[in-house]
Amino acid sequence: MTQQPSAALDTMQIRYRIPYMTFLRMMAWKRGRPFTMSQACNKLLTRALDEIGITNDPAVLLGLEEKPDV
């Protein structure tokens, strides 16, 4: 991928380049690990959501019970 000055990027290039960079980062993370791409995506998404404090409790996510105060 050739480098371009930021000002030279149009909306279409930005729209497709950002998801591609995310994909490349995920591929780099999974390299050397025994995961499929789907498993790598799931693990990284789970790790990111845990890091920012989003619960994995289905009842809380569906609004069936209140989130406990921590």
Side-chain angles (χ1 to χ4, degrees), residues 11-27:
T11 304
M12 195 61 75
Q13 287 172 310
I14 292 170
R15 180 178 296 156
Y16 292 103
R17 188 163 293 189
I18 291 172
Y20 183 65
M21 292 303 292
T22 302
F23 171 79
L24 289 177
R25 290 174 66 197
M26 195 172 354
M27 287 292 291

Side-chain angles (χ1 to χ4, degrees), residues 14-61:
I14 292 170
R15 180 178 296 156
Y16 292 103
R17 188 163 293 189
I18 291 172
Y20 183 65
M21 292 303 292
T22 302
F23 171 79
L24 289 177
R25 290 174 66 197
M26 195 172 354
M27 287 292 291
W29 181 84
K30 93 170 204 53
R31 189 175 298 134
R33 291 179 170 91
F35 300 132
T36 65
M37 194 59 179
S38 178
Q39 290 169 324
C41 182
N42 185 46
K43 285 186 179 297
L44 291 171
L45 182 58
T46 299
R47 183 183 292 177
L49 291 172
D50 287 346
E51 190 173 300
I52 61 172
I54 304 296
T55 184
N56 61 356
D57 182 357
V60 173
L61 293 172

